[in-house]
Amino acid sequence: MSNLTREETESLIQEVLEVYPEKARKDRAKHLAINDQSIEQSKKCITSNRKSLPGVMTIRGCAYAGSRGVVWGPVKDMIHISHGPVGCGQYSRAGRRNYYVGTTGVNTFAEMNFTSDFQEKDIVFGGDKKLAKIMNEIEQLFPLNKGITVQSECPIGLIGDDIEAVSKKAAKELNKVVVPVRCEGFRGVSQSLGHHIANDAVRDWVLSNRDGKHFESTPYDVTIIGDYNIGGDAWASRIFLEEMGLRVIAQWSGDGTIAEMENTPKAKLNLLHCYRSMNYISRHMEEKYGIPWMEYNFFGPTKIEESLRRIAAFFDDSIKEGAERVIAKYKPMMEAVIAKYKPRLQGKRVMLYIGGLRPRHVIGAYEDLGMEVVGTGYEFGHNDDYDRTIKEMGNATLLYDDVTGFELEEFVKRIKPDLVGSGIKEKYIYQKMGIPFRQMHSWDYSGPYHGYDGFAIFARDMDMTLNNPCWGKQTPPWKVQKPADEAVKAAA
Amino acid sequence: MANIMIRKNEAGGLVFYLPKRDLEDNIDSIEFDSPEKWGGELKLASGGTYYIEPQLAPARLPVSVRAKRVDAPE
């Protein structure tokens, strides 16, 4: 099907909204928009970061998910206590595939679930004593941990436990970093506030720990901020940053350590990947330590080249040469990948609905493969995310914020994209509708997708999904209309 | 009154950032821009206006200051 015109898209949105009661329709209409590249500010066309409507199916998470799952969780040598009932921690454990190096349970703990397992009596009498006890147990059982974070679940805020006091006391006793994080799930409208709270906790409890201490620095120290190393993403990015002559002194928080986080203020430039979840801390470091920050995009060779040159512009000529050298080195490899997959993927249309930075960042990678993104949306984006998205997307394409299960399904039915990229909750719905699907939160158990090495895997995965022979076998054999002569042969 | 952060962008212009609302916008003009007196009315690209108490120019940007919303389109 060819692309929709502006009017058709407009009528599609109206049609989809028709099923809602009037009040809901009015609210949802603000979250759906048709992209217009001439608009500078997204708030003129789309509303974001608002409370989801009761009754619709949203795929947002909570503040706890944003802090424990996204920002703090991957810090590998700390123990993150899910403080509260057992479920929150257990059901979200290790689902994001933040890869790391280390021996789990000995010196790294990112995949494990530590919880204070609240019972009725803890709700009634408070859980502070239990928390203090847990910290001592942790110290005895896992002496190689480098610190503890307390990730509050909803009841902590409701009963008013003083986790800060417990943490301060424990930090003194254990002589380690103990960070209380007030990321109760009921805070905010989505996981986005959890990111912010986690960033604030880093600012208050971690960042200034090594101020004034000696650090053997070089003029080329950079950090990778907001790369969660999903399927090894951060490693695939780091490898050629180092090749171009930079020294990566910290990685947040995929495969990250508390020592790296404490050393971050010594960097010369903060490289920010996930703007949504870590811009807060980057802005803080810019103000307090005067470290500039820059958003980069390592999806697809076009965007990588652009980003590498922009990174190099912060440094002297040796780095600029390094960037050109890296670009030239990988060019043949990228050309081979594109030559192999572009003919198989050319002209295919993609709809995305993801979180964080991907709804805009992966567009470049799809375009490198000759594909086109016809609809995109954020689970928990804010205005500034959409500001950045409008320029990336084509005119008259669809933008949807916090889209509901129903809306996305209707959009897909009408627009009929060749590929849908979203989360696991959507995956099987669309596969059963006969539409190829990639789970783009954790790369459908594949990855890495960042960087040059990642692009090769990305291209292969997209080809594998789109050109899978199973999509031609949607109709059962007994319902296939056979050509007439073949039917006769079978009868004879 | 709201806390805002003013920073320089790559092009050298001033950028206004209101963390509470994730509002990021270019500053078109600043009323006073000398070392002794800095601040006053900020005109944003979106058409909004914010006011910061005139003060000594900050030693370096970005800087967090308190601002009053005079007029904003939203």
Side-chain angles (χ1 to χ4, degrees), chain A residues 345-393:
Chain A
L345 297 170
Q346 182 88 43
K348 301 281 189 196
R349 296 150 70 248
V350 190
M351 274 176 82
L352 299 170
Y353 176 54
I354 351 174
L357 59 115
R358 285 164 254 203
R360 63 172 178 276
H361 270 187
V362 294
I363 296 171
Y366 280 116
E367 281 170 358
D368 283 338
L369 291 171
M371 298 162 82
E372 189 193 355
V373 179
V374 293
T376 195
Y378 295 82
E379 263 174 59
F380 53 84
H382 297 202
N383 278 334
D384 41 0
D385 288 303
Y386 287 98
D387 287 344
R388 289 160 167 78
T389 314
I390 289 171
K391 294 177 204 95
E392 305 274 340
M393 289 289 287

Side-chain angles (χ1 to χ4, degrees), chain A residues 41 283 286-288 382, chain B residues 5 7 22 46 60 64:
Chain A
Q41 283 212 314
R283 287 179 196 273
E286 189 182 27
E287 185 176 6
K288 186 169 178 196
H382 297 202
Chain B
M5 187 186 268
R7 59 188 291 264
D22 281 292
S46 66
R60 67 157 196 242
S64 284

